[in-house]
Amino acid sequence: MELVVTIIYYCLVGFVSVLLIYNLIKTTEWQKEVLYIIVLIPFLLRLFMLK
Amino acid sequence: MKASIRKLGFSIAGLVLLVVSGLSFYESRHLKEPVVLSDGVTQVMKLSKYFPDIEGTANDCNIYVLEGKEPGATLCILGGTHPEEPAGRLAAWLFAENGVMMKGRLIVVLSANRSATTVTRVGGAYPPDFIIPSPWGGQTFRLGDRWSNPLDQWPDPEVYIHYPSGQYLAYLDSRNLNRCWPGRPNGTLTEKTAYAFLEMIKKEKVDVVIDLHEAELQYPVISTIVTHEKGQELAAVVSMTLTDLEGFKMGLEFSPKNLHGLSHREIGDYSDAISLLFEAPEPFLDATRGKTTTDQLLTGKDEFVVKAGKHGLLFEKIDEKGWPIDVRVGRHTSAILQTMASWTEVHPERPLLCDNVPRYAEVIEKGIGKFLQDPAHGKPGRVLFE
């Protein structure tokens, strides 16, 4: 059960990371670019299992 | 084109932040803390010896055994139940690096919840580690946190239901070793850790277990011994003797019968051992503290906590001198040594006597660093890592 939750969790983290990167590429406002980068960092750290 | 270059610039800046923070977290989790074994350490074991399921996990910690020259009782010191209360770990460290048992046997644990030493409270701005200066330079210790690392145990439940009492506790405390006693073999990592320690306590026929802690000054259980009812007489004598002879106040509290998961309650209930818990004051933990820095951690000085004291909000006194780490560690070493002496008075046929560990006044006079051994000069095979 724990393994299933873990897999789902990391899939979600990966999905949100991809969304953030997609939005970063698409946006034209520099403020949002900075925002996406800052928000992306903890997601990537979690994806790499660094805490 | 201009937008692409800008995005690339922001991405590189983000990548730098990612690498810097990632390295910091990685180094914090993998920092090796040397332990130079005292000549009195006769055996080093792993916790998994008592519960093989724990083998290979972050919590398969070292257990240092100091066998006395003469037989006697067995006392166990648990340091690092809550690693962010460093006086407990450091006091245990002084025993492992200096102690020589003349009578009886001593079991020392430096990282009872080793997983909790590998993570800090980032949201609380905790520093990842701290340095204790010594004549040979200084030793770096992981600061750690109150709870097991979520990388080692997760997900957290909505509500933590303590086993076997069924008492409801905060979800976070499912990773708090001092809310998981007596543990269970098929539970979470923290519950398995408590179970393994309890197996050790039973198999080694431990007579007294001392769990070392620190507390915020706004918490009423501070500067005190918390004792299971089996240890009331012993704890009362230790409390009175320390207050009379060593010059610091040491209170006495009884372990509530209906507050479950804590070492002073469950070890006493589920084994033959007397369970005691020692608390020293640590302003670093107070919610009203100012800057959360290593300097504040080690000096125990904080103007905001002092101000809280002036408003009558504290359960322990504090002034501009603060609560330096040497004072807090000295309280613990003296309290442990006094427990041995008081035990021996009541049980002369099964004595406990430890030599070469500094008491309160000596730790304050010389500093903890004086009693930390230089790993560069450790004998071959006598330097281990936590």
Side-chain angles (χ1 to χ4, degrees), chain B residues 38-70:
Chain B
S38 148
D39 290 339
V41 175
T42 50
Q43 196 183 1
V44 181
M45 300 179 295
K46 286 283 185 185
L47 182 61
S48 55
K49 178 186 172 187
Y50 302 96
F51 180 49
D53 243 38
I54 212 98
E55 191 175 350
T57 69
N59 276 2
D60 191 7
C61 64
N62 290 335
I63 292 170
Y64 304 88
V65 181
L66 289 76
E67 193 74 54
K69 293 171 180 166
E70 293 178 31

PDB file of all heavy atoms in Angstrom, chain B residues 38-70:
ATOM      1  N   SER B  38      35.988   5.421  23.713  1.00  0.00           N
ATOM      2  CA  SER B  38      36.740   5.424  24.976  1.00  0.00           C
ATOM      3  C   SER B  38      37.348   4.041  25.194  1.00  0.00           C
ATOM      4  O   SER B  38      36.845   3.035  24.661  1.00  0.00           O
ATOM      5  CB  SER B  38      35.749   5.750  26.099  1.00  0.00           C
ATOM      6  OG  SER B  38      36.119   5.106  27.294  1.00  0.00           O
ATOM      7  N   ASP B  39      38.414   3.985  25.984  1.00  0.00           N
ATOM      8  CA  ASP B  39      38.997   2.675  26.325  1.00  0.00           C
ATOM      9  C   ASP B  39      37.987   1.813  27.066  1.00  0.00           C
ATOM     10  O   ASP B  39      38.116   0.593  27.109  1.00  0.00           O
ATOM     11  CB  ASP B  39      40.241   2.865  27.203  1.00  0.00           C
ATOM     12  CG  ASP B  39      41.390   3.462  26.398  1.00  0.00           C
ATOM     13  OD1 ASP B  39      41.351   3.346  25.154  1.00  0.00           O
ATOM     14  OD2 ASP B  39      42.298   4.051  27.007  1.00  0.00           O
ATOM     15  N   GLY B  40      36.972   2.469  27.634  1.00  0.00           N
ATOM     16  CA  GLY B  40      35.953   1.730  28.386  1.00  0.00           C
ATOM     17  C   GLY B  40      34.909   1.051  27.512  1.00  0.00           C
ATOM     18  O   GLY B  40      34.129   0.236  28.007  1.00  0.00           O
ATOM     19  N   VAL B  41      34.868   1.393  26.203  1.00  0.00           N
ATOM     20  CA  VAL B  41      33.888   0.751  25.318  1.00  0.00           C
ATOM     21  C   VAL B  41      34.399  -0.647  24.977  1.00  0.00           C
ATOM     22  O   VAL B  41      35.454  -0.806  24.355  1.00  0.00           O
ATOM     23  CB  VAL B  41      33.651   1.577  24.030  1.00  0.00           C
ATOM     24  CG1 VAL B  41      32.726   0.829  23.068  1.00  0.00           C
ATOM     25  CG2 VAL B  41      33.054   2.939  24.373  1.00  0.00           C
ATOM     26  N   THR B  42      33.651  -1.647  25.393  1.00  0.00           N
ATOM     27  CA  THR B  42      34.110  -3.032  25.215  1.00  0.00           C
ATOM     28  C   THR B  42      33.452  -3.711  24.025  1.00  0.00           C
ATOM     29  O   THR B  42      33.921  -4.740  23.552  1.00  0.00           O
ATOM     30  CB  THR B  42      33.809  -3.850  26.488  1.00  0.00           C
ATOM     31  OG1 THR B  42      32.435  -3.636  26.856  1.00  0.00           O
ATOM     32  CG2 THR B  42      34.705  -3.414  27.636  1.00  0.00           C
ATOM     33  N   GLN B  43      32.355  -3.140  23.537  1.00  0.00           N
ATOM     34  CA  GLN B  43      31.633  -3.758  22.432  1.00  0.00           C
ATOM     35  C   GLN B  43      30.780  -2.704  21.727  1.00  0.00           C
ATOM     36  O   GLN B  43      30.224  -1.827  22.388  1.00  0.00           O
ATOM     37  CB  GLN B  43      30.733  -4.880  22.992  1.00  0.00           C
ATOM     38  CG  GLN B  43      30.217  -5.838  21.953  1.00  0.00           C
ATOM     39  CD  GLN B  43      29.270  -6.875  22.580  1.00  0.00           C
ATOM     40  OE1 GLN B  43      29.005  -6.854  23.780  1.00  0.00           O
ATOM     41  NE2 GLN B  43      28.746  -7.763  21.764  1.00  0.00           N
ATOM     42  N   VAL B  44      30.708  -2.823  20.406  1.00  0.00           N
ATOM     43  CA  VAL B  44      29.781  -1.962  19.653  1.00  0.00           C
ATOM     44  C   VAL B  44      28.885  -2.875  18.826  1.00  0.00           C
ATOM     45  O   VAL B  44      29.364  -3.736  18.092  1.00  0.00           O
ATOM     46  CB  VAL B  44      30.533  -0.982  18.723  1.00  0.00           C
ATOM     47  CG1 VAL B  44      29.533  -0.095  17.985  1.00  0.00           C
ATOM     48  CG2 VAL B  44      31.503  -0.117  19.519  1.00  0.00           C
ATOM     49  N   MET B  45      27.583  -2.676  18.994  1.00  0.00           N
ATOM     50  CA  MET B  45      26.628  -3.526  18.273  1.00  0.00           C
ATOM     51  C   MET B  45      25.715  -2.647  17.425  1.00  0.00           C
ATOM     52  O   MET B  45      25.755  -1.431  17.507  1.00  0.00           O
ATOM     53  CB  MET B  45      25.769  -4.299  19.276  1.00  0.00           C
ATOM     54  CG  MET B  45      26.576  -5.190  20.194  1.00  0.00           C
ATOM     55  SD  MET B  45      25.536  -6.057  21.369  1.00  0.00           S
ATOM     56  CE  MET B  45      24.880  -4.754  22.365  1.00  0.00           C
ATOM     57  N   LYS B  46      24.898  -3.298  16.639  1.00  0.00           N
ATOM     58  CA  LYS B  46      23.870  -2.602  15.870  1.00  0.00           C
ATOM     59  C   LYS B  46      22.507  -2.902  16.508  1.00  0.00           C
ATOM     60  O   LYS B  46      22.293  -3.996  17.047  1.00  0.00           O
ATOM     61  CB  LYS B  46      23.868  -3.084  14.420  1.00  0.00           C
ATOM     62  CG  LYS B  46      25.038  -2.557  13.602  1.00  0.00           C
ATOM     63  CD  LYS B  46      24.772  -1.116  13.222  1.00  0.00           C
ATOM     64  CE  LYS B  46      25.840  -0.577  12.303  1.00  0.00           C
ATOM     65  NZ  LYS B  46      25.641   0.870  12.030  1.00  0.00           N
ATOM     66  N   LEU B  47      21.588  -1.970  16.392  1.00  0.00           N
ATOM     67  CA  LEU B  47      20.256  -2.169  16.964  1.00  0.00           C
ATOM     68  C   LEU B  47      19.564  -3.392  16.343  1.00  0.00           C
ATOM     69  O   LEU B  47      18.777  -4.069  16.994  1.00  0.00           O
ATOM     70  CB  LEU B  47      19.411  -0.903  16.741  1.00  0.00           C
ATOM     71  CG  LEU B  47      18.005  -0.915  17.329  1.00  0.00           C
ATOM     72  CD1 LEU B  47      18.043  -1.084  18.842  1.00  0.00           C
ATOM     73  CD2 LEU B  47      17.255   0.365  16.963  1.00  0.00           C
ATOM     74  N   SER B  48      19.899  -3.670  15.081  1.00  0.00           N
ATOM     75  CA  SER B  48      19.252  -4.787  14.371  1.00  0.00           C
ATOM     76  C   SER B  48      19.574  -6.138  15.007  1.00  0.00           C
ATOM     77  O   SER B  48      18.897  -7.130  14.709  1.00  0.00           O
ATOM     78  CB  SER B  48      19.653  -4.798  12.904  1.00  0.00           C
ATOM     79  OG  SER B  48      21.045  -4.825  12.773  1.00  0.00           O
ATOM     80  N   LYS B  49      20.570  -6.162  15.887  1.00  0.00           N
ATOM     81  CA  LYS B  49      20.865  -7.414  16.592  1.00  0.00           C
ATOM     82  C   LYS B  49      19.626  -7.869  17.383  1.00  0.00           C
ATOM     83  O   LYS B  49      19.390  -9.062  17.569  1.00  0.00           O
ATOM     84  CB  LYS B  49      22.044  -7.199  17.540  1.00  0.00           C
ATOM     85  CG  LYS B  49      22.389  -8.433  18.357  1.00  0.00           C
ATOM     86  CD  LYS B  49      23.458  -8.162  19.395  1.00  0.00           C
ATOM     87  CE  LYS B  49      23.611  -9.382  20.301  1.00  0.00           C
ATOM     88  NZ  LYS B  49      24.495  -9.137  21.428  1.00  0.00           N
ATOM     89  N   TYR B  50      18.846  -6.914  17.825  1.00  0.00           N
ATOM     90  CA  TYR B  50      17.689  -7.226  18.672  1.00  0.00           C
ATOM     91  C   TYR B  50      16.379  -7.321  17.888  1.00  0.00           C
ATOM     92  O   TYR B  50      15.385  -7.797  18.404  1.00  0.00           O
ATOM     93  CB  TYR B  50      17.560  -6.164  19.771  1.00  0.00           C
ATOM     94  CG  TYR B  50      18.807  -6.101  20.609  1.00  0.00           C
ATOM     95  CD1 TYR B  50      19.794  -5.153  20.341  1.00  0.00           C
ATOM     96  CD2 TYR B  50      19.023  -7.021  21.618  1.00  0.00           C
ATOM     97  CE1 TYR B  50      20.958  -5.118  21.075  1.00  0.00           C
ATOM     98  CE2 TYR B  50      20.183  -6.991  22.363  1.00  0.00           C
ATOM     99  CZ  TYR B  50      21.153  -6.043  22.083  1.00  0.00           C
ATOM    100  OH  TYR B  50      22.309  -6.021  22.810  1.00  0.00           O
ATOM    101  N   PHE B  51      16.408  -6.796  16.659  1.00  0.00           N
ATOM    102  CA  PHE B  51      15.216  -6.873  15.807  1.00  0.00           C
ATOM    103  C   PHE B  51      15.699  -6.760  14.353  1.00  0.00           C
ATOM    104  O   PHE B  51      15.864  -5.643  13.831  1.00  0.00           O
ATOM    105  CB  PHE B  51      14.240  -5.748  16.166  1.00  0.00           C
ATOM    106  CG  PHE B  51      12.997  -5.754  15.327  1.00  0.00           C
ATOM    107  CD1 PHE B  51      12.252  -6.927  15.141  1.00  0.00           C
ATOM    108  CD2 PHE B  51      12.551  -4.592  14.720  1.00  0.00           C
ATOM    109  CE1 PHE B  51      11.112  -6.926  14.370  1.00  0.00           C
ATOM    110  CE2 PHE B  51      11.405  -4.584  13.946  1.00  0.00           C
ATOM    111  CZ  PHE B  51      10.688  -5.754  13.775  1.00  0.00           C
ATOM    112  N   PRO B  52      15.963  -7.901  13.709  1.00  0.00           N
ATOM    113  CA  PRO B  52      16.606  -7.890  12.378  1.00  0.00           C
ATOM    114  C   PRO B  52      15.860  -7.084  11.316  1.00  0.00           C
ATOM    115  O   PRO B  52      16.473  -6.636  10.349  1.00  0.00           O
ATOM    116  CB  PRO B  52      16.627  -9.384  12.006  1.00  0.00           C
ATOM    117  CG  PRO B  52      16.596 -10.103  13.308  1.00  0.00           C
ATOM    118  CD  PRO B  52      15.773  -9.267  14.226  1.00  0.00           C
ATOM    119  N   ASP B  53      14.560  -6.846  11.511  1.00  0.00           N
ATOM    120  CA  ASP B  53      13.796  -6.076  10.520  1.00  0.00           C
ATOM    121  C   ASP B  53      14.329  -4.659  10.324  1.00  0.00           C
ATOM    122  O   ASP B  53      14.078  -4.030   9.298  1.00  0.00           O
ATOM    123  CB  ASP B  53      12.340  -5.979  10.993  1.00  0.00           C
ATOM    124  CG  ASP B  53      11.409  -6.657  10.028  1.00  0.00           C
ATOM    125  OD1 ASP B  53      11.817  -7.715   9.502  1.00  0.00           O
ATOM    126  OD2 ASP B  53      10.301  -6.149   9.788  1.00  0.00           O
ATOM    127  N   ILE B  54      15.041  -4.177  11.315  1.00  0.00           N
ATOM    128  CA  ILE B  54      15.514  -2.790  11.267  1.00  0.00           C
ATOM    129  C   ILE B  54      16.839  -2.683  10.474  1.00  0.00           C
ATOM    130  O   ILE B  54      17.281  -1.594  10.130  1.00  0.00           O
ATOM    131  CB  ILE B  54      15.683  -2.258  12.723  1.00  0.00           C
ATOM    132  CG1 ILE B  54      15.382  -0.754  12.798  1.00  0.00           C
ATOM    133  CG2 ILE B  54      17.056  -2.518  13.292  1.00  0.00           C
ATOM    134  CD1 ILE B  54      14.027  -0.462  13.257  1.00  0.00           C
ATOM    135  N   GLU B  55      17.416  -3.831  10.165  1.00  0.00           N
ATOM    136  CA  GLU B  55      18.709  -3.860   9.451  1.00  0.00           C
ATOM    137  C   GLU B  55      18.591  -3.172   8.090  1.00  0.00           C
ATOM    138  O   GLU B  55      17.630  -3.380   7.353  1.00  0.00           O
ATOM    139  CB  GLU B  55      19.171  -5.306   9.256  1.00  0.00           C
ATOM    140  CG  GLU B  55      20.611  -5.387   8.778  1.00  0.00           C
ATOM    141  CD  GLU B  55      21.117  -6.827   8.694  1.00  0.00           C
ATOM    142  OE1 GLU B  55      20.419  -7.730   9.189  1.00  0.00           O
ATOM    143  OE2 GLU B  55      22.199  -7.013   8.120  1.00  0.00           O
ATOM    144  N   GLY B  56      19.589  -2.357   7.779  1.00  0.00           N
ATOM    145  CA  GLY B  56      19.610  -1.672   6.492  1.00  0.00           C
ATOM    146  C   GLY B  56      18.784  -0.397   6.460  1.00  0.00           C
ATOM    147  O   GLY B  56      18.797   0.326   5.461  1.00  0.00           O
ATOM    148  N   THR B  57      18.070  -0.077   7.528  1.00  0.00           N
ATOM    149  CA  THR B  57      17.298   1.170   7.566  1.00  0.00           C
ATOM    150  C   THR B  57      18.144   2.277   8.197  1.00  0.00           C
ATOM    151  O   THR B  57      19.197   2.003   8.790  1.00  0.00           O
ATOM    152  CB  THR B  57      16.003   1.017   8.403  1.00  0.00           C
ATOM    153  OG1 THR B  57      16.371   0.873   9.785  1.00  0.00           O
ATOM    154  CG2 THR B  57      15.208  -0.203   7.973  1.00  0.00           C
ATOM    155  N   ALA B  58      17.656   3.500   8.085  1.00  0.00           N
ATOM    156  CA  ALA B  58      18.371   4.642   8.674  1.00  0.00           C
ATOM    157  C   ALA B  58      18.483   4.505  10.188  1.00  0.00           C
ATOM    158  O   ALA B  58      19.370   5.092  10.794  1.00  0.00           O
ATOM    159  CB  ALA B  58      17.650   5.934   8.325  1.00  0.00           C
ATOM    160  N   ASN B  59      17.603   3.744  10.800  1.00  0.00           N
ATOM    161  CA  ASN B  59      17.592   3.665  12.254  1.00  0.00           C
ATOM    162  C   ASN B  59      18.331   2.467  12.843  1.00  0.00           C
ATOM    163  O   ASN B  59      18.190   2.179  14.034  1.00  0.00           O
ATOM    164  CB  ASN B  59      16.149   3.687  12.769  1.00  0.00           C
ATOM    165  CG  ASN B  59      15.641   5.112  12.883  1.00  0.00           C
ATOM    166  OD1 ASN B  59      16.354   6.042  12.547  1.00  0.00           O
ATOM    167  ND2 ASN B  59      14.422   5.281  13.342  1.00  0.00           N
ATOM    168  N   ASP B  60      19.133   1.786  12.014  1.00  0.00           N
ATOM    169  CA  ASP B  60      19.954   0.697  12.549  1.00  0.00           C
ATOM    170  C   ASP B  60      21.210   1.325  13.169  1.00  0.00           C
ATOM    171  O   ASP B  60      22.303   1.261  12.617  1.00  0.00           O
ATOM    172  CB  ASP B  60      20.316  -0.287  11.438  1.00  0.00           C
ATOM    173  CG  ASP B  60      20.925  -1.568  11.994  1.00  0.00           C
ATOM    174  OD1 ASP B  60      20.924  -1.718  13.228  1.00  0.00           O
ATOM    175  OD2 ASP B  60      21.396  -2.393  11.192  1.00  0.00           O
ATOM    176  N   CYS B  61      21.018   1.940  14.335  1.00  0.00           N
ATOM    177  CA  CYS B  61      22.078   2.757  14.933  1.00  0.00           C
ATOM    178  C   CYS B  61      23.094   1.909  15.703  1.00  0.00           C
ATOM    179  O   CYS B  61      22.871   0.724  15.951  1.00  0.00           O
ATOM    180  CB  CYS B  61      21.458   3.786  15.879  1.00  0.00           C
ATOM    181  SG  CYS B  61      20.633   3.050  17.290  1.00  0.00           S
ATOM    182  N   ASN B  62      24.208   2.560  16.037  1.00  0.00           N
ATOM    183  CA  ASN B  62      25.236   1.906  16.856  1.00  0.00           C
ATOM    184  C   ASN B  62      24.804   1.874  18.317  1.00  0.00           C
ATOM    185  O   ASN B  62      24.176   2.813  18.811  1.00  0.00           O
ATOM    186  CB  ASN B  62      26.560   2.667  16.769  1.00  0.00           C
ATOM    187  CG  ASN B  62      27.204   2.540  15.407  1.00  0.00           C
ATOM    188  OD1 ASN B  62      26.970   1.572  14.674  1.00  0.00           O
ATOM    189  ND2 ASN B  62      28.005   3.522  15.047  1.00  0.00           N
ATOM    190  N   ILE B  63      25.191   0.798  19.000  1.00  0.00           N
ATOM    191  CA  ILE B  63      24.959   0.677  20.443  1.00  0.00           C
ATOM    192  C   ILE B  63      26.317   0.400  21.091  1.00  0.00           C
ATOM    193  O   ILE B  63      26.982  -0.578  20.755  1.00  0.00           O
ATOM    194  CB  ILE B  63      23.961  -0.457  20.739  1.00  0.00           C
ATOM    195  CG1 ILE B  63      22.587  -0.041  20.203  1.00  0.00           C
ATOM    196  CG2 ILE B  63      23.883  -0.755  22.230  1.00  0.00           C
ATOM    197  CD1 ILE B  63      21.568  -1.129  20.205  1.00  0.00           C
ATOM    198  N   TYR B  64      26.716   1.308  21.959  1.00  0.00           N
ATOM    199  CA  TYR B  64      28.038   1.221  22.585  1.00  0.00           C
ATOM    200  C   TYR B  64      27.891   0.611  23.983  1.00  0.00           C
ATOM    201  O   TYR B  64      27.111   1.112  24.798  1.00  0.00           O
ATOM    202  CB  TYR B  64      28.667   2.612  22.677  1.00  0.00           C
ATOM    203  CG  TYR B  64      28.754   3.300  21.334  1.00  0.00           C
ATOM    204  CD1 TYR B  64      27.689   4.074  20.850  1.00  0.00           C
ATOM    205  CD2 TYR B  64      29.864   3.149  20.505  1.00  0.00           C
ATOM    206  CE1 TYR B  64      27.749   4.683  19.607  1.00  0.00           C
ATOM    207  CE2 TYR B  64      29.933   3.763  19.264  1.00  0.00           C
ATOM    208  CZ  TYR B  64      28.865   4.525  18.828  1.00  0.00           C
ATOM    209  OH  TYR B  64      28.924   5.127  17.579  1.00  0.00           O
ATOM    210  N   VAL B  65      28.659  -0.447  24.241  1.00  0.00           N
ATOM    211  CA  VAL B  65      28.566  -1.128  25.533  1.00  0.00           C
ATOM    212  C   VAL B  65      29.867  -0.911  26.304  1.00  0.00           C
ATOM    213  O   VAL B  65      30.964  -1.128  25.778  1.00  0.00           O
ATOM    214  CB  VAL B  65      28.326  -2.646  25.337  1.00  0.00           C
ATOM    215  CG1 VAL B  65      28.211  -3.339  26.694  1.00  0.00           C
ATOM    216  CG2 VAL B  65      27.069  -2.885  24.519  1.00  0.00           C
ATOM    217  N   LEU B  66      29.734  -0.430  27.533  1.00  0.00           N
ATOM    218  CA  LEU B  66      30.886  -0.240  28.410  1.00  0.00           C
ATOM    219  C   LEU B  66      30.741  -1.236  29.570  1.00  0.00           C
ATOM    220  O   LEU B  66      29.952  -1.016  30.497  1.00  0.00           O
ATOM    221  CB  LEU B  66      30.942   1.193  28.954  1.00  0.00           C
ATOM    222  CG  LEU B  66      31.302   2.320  27.964  1.00  0.00           C
ATOM    223  CD1 LEU B  66      30.149   2.672  27.038  1.00  0.00           C
ATOM    224  CD2 LEU B  66      31.749   3.568  28.725  1.00  0.00           C
ATOM    225  N   GLU B  67      31.461  -2.328  29.456  1.00  0.00           N
ATOM    226  CA  GLU B  67      31.390  -3.371  30.483  1.00  0.00           C
ATOM    227  C   GLU B  67      32.320  -2.983  31.627  1.00  0.00           C
ATOM    228  O   GLU B  67      33.480  -2.622  31.407  1.00  0.00           O
ATOM    229  CB  GLU B  67      31.835  -4.703  29.879  1.00  0.00           C
ATOM    230  CG  GLU B  67      31.525  -5.929  30.710  1.00  0.00           C
ATOM    231  CD  GLU B  67      30.046  -6.319  30.701  1.00  0.00           C
ATOM    232  OE1 GLU B  67      29.472  -6.483  29.614  1.00  0.00           O
ATOM    233  OE2 GLU B  67      29.489  -6.442  31.807  1.00  0.00           O
ATOM    234  N   GLY B  68      31.806  -3.060  32.849  1.00  0.00           N
ATOM    235  CA  GLY B  68      32.608  -2.652  34.001  1.00  0.00           C
ATOM    236  C   GLY B  68      33.675  -3.654  34.383  1.00  0.00           C
ATOM    237  O   GLY B  68      33.613  -4.824  33.990  1.00  0.00           O
ATOM    238  N   LYS B  69      34.646  -3.165  35.143  1.00  0.00           N
ATOM    239  CA  LYS B  69      35.701  -4.064  35.634  1.00  0.00           C
ATOM    240  C   LYS B  69      35.143  -5.003  36.684  1.00  0.00           C
ATOM    241  O   LYS B  69      35.633  -6.112  36.856  1.00  0.00           O
ATOM    242  CB  LYS B  69      36.862  -3.238  36.167  1.00  0.00           C
ATOM    243  CG  LYS B  69      37.555  -2.477  35.039  1.00  0.00           C
ATOM    244  CD  LYS B  69      38.580  -1.482  35.511  1.00  0.00           C
ATOM    245  CE  LYS B  69      39.196  -0.788  34.285  1.00  0.00           C
ATOM    246  NZ  LYS B  69      39.948   0.386  34.607  1.00  0.00           N
ATOM    247  N   GLU B  70      34.127  -4.537  37.398  1.00  0.00           N
ATOM    248  CA  GLU B  70      33.425  -5.387  38.369  1.00  0.00           C
ATOM    249  C   GLU B  70      31.964  -5.493  37.951  1.00  0.00           C
ATOM    250  O   GLU B  70      31.431  -4.558  37.348  1.00  0.00           O
ATOM    251  CB  GLU B  70      33.500  -4.777  39.773  1.00  0.00           C
ATOM    252  CG  GLU B  70      34.897  -4.760  40.365  1.00  0.00           C
ATOM    253  CD  GLU B  70      34.892  -4.088  41.743  1.00  0.00           C
ATOM    254  OE1 GLU B  70      33.878  -4.178  42.463  1.00  0.00           O
ATOM    255  OE2 GLU B  70      35.902  -3.448  42.073  1.00  0.00           O
TER     256      GLU B  70
END
